[in-house]
Amino acid sequence: MGRVLIIGAGGVGTVVAHKVEQNAGVFTDIMIASRTKSKCDDIVKSIGNPAIKTAQVDADNVNELVALFHEFKPEIVINVALPYQDLTIMEACLQAGVNYLDTANYEPKDEAHFEYSWQWAYHDRFKEAGLTAILGCGFDPGVSGIYTAYAAKHYFDEIHDLDIVDCNAGDHHKAFATNFNPEINIREITQKGRYYENGKWVETGSLEIHQPITYPNIGPKESYLLYHEELESLVKHFPTIKRARFWMTFGQEYLTHLRVIQNIGMARIDEIDYNGQKIVPIQFLKAVLPNPQDLGENYTGETSIGCRIRGIKDGKERTYYVYNNCSHEAAYKETGMQGVSYTTGVPAMIGALMYFNGEWKRPGVNNVEEFDPDPFMEQLNKQGLPWHEVFDSDLEV
Ligand code: NDP
């Protein structure tokens, strides 16, 4: 019996639901719960399996969550709501005895700041309860950590340089849109950059450091150094790392829109008074921007995300590049969602599958790179995100 509860019915939740349904041998009982129940019902309709249950839940409310968990009795919750809900869902999992998985680390609503400390603090309680929590199991974080663990296990005695390179060379044919929740996306990109070097974090201006990087089947794209949450856990779990950085591509149009949004105050996350009503500008902006879930239909092109690694094996320096390219059109054909939701939702499903087949059962709070990467890498090839390796090439970074 594999009873799974998916929380969140956005782009990622839709992909998770489709992939869970495709693996019905493992996931025998499925429920999708979210703030807006009609969105859960729409997903069930698009999948065409009326046996999938749906429910309304406010995931900011621990008591509501616990009541739902007692009613459905899931073995694991796949949290693909927003990072704001991580702690309430973890708390409810502890109270109801449910295992936990997410794709993004906790972020307080009133501060654009994310770090693992809040979730790592739950480690002892999960361990004592005999419950497994799997943190950051999307693509990045997620597959980026599993690629690194795979490289460390099979190809390196010591990893020295790690560069995670994330390219979206797709075109959704809109003037401006974000590929996942606009509020979370804009908060992530507009914060200061940060990377790890020789035991210290080095801060940069927002998108200050950039260079062209060549992506397979795509070509050179200007790539910008950002802080990304998996850097924090990867330098902790692979202490030989001397430098760790994260790069993401952006087009000029996107950056121009982003600059204007910031300059006119629409990226603000504090409350303002509007005609006697309190509103948060970035939340208002989300309401008028295209819904990331609706981008799939005309999305062309592909994503390419991978790890470029330099290190030592048997006393010699070597390089390794492992990556996946994902077509937006193929993702849409399969799940009705674009490639960014697809590359996040597939690993989330695989993480839960790893839990159910016993490969990734470890009481406590764990980042993905702490588990054996091999069975996960095998599943990536089977579940729609095949990977490719390049040895001893010029890493460019
Ligand atoms: P969406 O905004 O499309 O979906 C979020 C869903 O969560 C919506 O259905 C929303 O409900 C629901 N939700 C929000 N607040 C609550 C609440 N209080 N109670 C219950 N449900 C709630 O986001 P995405 O699907 O694009 O992203 C989902 C997650 O995936 C995010 O955490 C994002 O950061 C993460 N992500 C991770 C990536 C990775 O590679 N690791 C990449 C991309 C995303 P409603 O419909 O009512 O608004």
Side-chain angles (χ1 to χ4, degrees), residues 7-14 33-37 39 56-61 79-86 103-104 109 136-142 166 179-182 184 188 228-229 286 291-293 305 338 340-341 343-344:
I7 302 185
V12 179
T14 304
S34 194
R35 183 166 51 192
T36 314
K37 184 173 176 292
K39 289 198 186 171
Q56 195 278 330
V57 74
D58 176 5
D60 288 322
N61 184 320
N79 167 17
V80 280
L82 296 180
Y84 313 136
Q85 279 86 48
D86 288 2
T103 67
K109 270 187 191 147
C137 198
F139 206 105
D140 45 350
D166 178 332
N179 294 293
F180 62 96
N181 185 285
I184 303 297
E188 173 180 280
H228 224 241
E229 63 197 62
K286 175 182 183 280
N291 182 347
Q293 271 172 273
I305 315 175
Q338 33 83 357
V340 176
S341 302
T343 53
T344 310

Side-chain angles (χ1 to χ4, degrees), residues 144 148 160-166 194-197 200-202 204 209-211 213 224-232 234-235 241-248 306-310 395-397:
S144 54
T148 307
H160 290 169
D161 298 336
L162 168 67
D163 286 278
I164 300 165
V165 292
D166 178 332
R194 197 156 28 127
Y195 63 97
Y196 180 83
E197 194 163 43
K200 290 199 191 88
W201 292 100
V202 182
T204 73
I209 297 180
H210 52 99
Q211 66 164 80
I213 294 176
Y224 295 78
L225 188 146
L226 297 183
Y227 178 64
H228 224 241
E229 63 197 62
E230 67 264 51
L231 297 178
E232 184 188 7
L234 287 169
V235 299
I241 292 180
K242 295 187 170 132
R243 190 182 64 193
R245 300 179 296 188
F246 184 96
W247 305 85
M248 192 177 268
C307 291
R308 298 190 181 194
I309 298 173
R310 190 178 289 108
L395 295 181
E396 297 180 293
V397 282

Side-chain angles (χ1 to χ4, degrees), residues 153-213:
K153 180 173 174 183
H154 296 286
Y155 302 126
F156 290 95
D157 296 326
E158 286 185 11
I159 291 181
H160 290 169
D161 298 336
L162 168 67
D163 286 278
I164 300 165
V165 292
D166 178 332
C167 170
N168 181 3
D171 185 356
H172 44 54
H173 303 98
K174 303 257 191 255
F176 181 82
T178 62
N179 294 293
F180 62 96
N181 185 285
E183 191 181 332
I184 303 297
N185 190 209
I186 292 170
R187 281 165 64 124
E188 173 180 280
I189 293 163
T190 53
Q191 65 165 347
K192 284 196 157 61
R194 197 156 28 127
Y195 63 97
Y196 180 83
E197 194 163 43
N198 297 325
K200 290 199 191 88
W201 292 100
V202 182
E203 198 168 273
T204 73
S206 170
L207 308 182
E208 178 190 343
I209 297 180
H210 52 99
Q211 66 164 80
I213 294 176

Side-chain angles (χ1 to χ4, degrees), residues 20 41 73 91 140 142 174 201 204 257 273 341 384 389 394:
V20 156
D41 295 332
K73 299 191 172 42
E91 186 60 46
D140 45 350
K174 303 257 191 255
W201 292 100
T204 73
H257 276 81
D273 193 72
S341 302
E389 301 178 306
D394 173 8

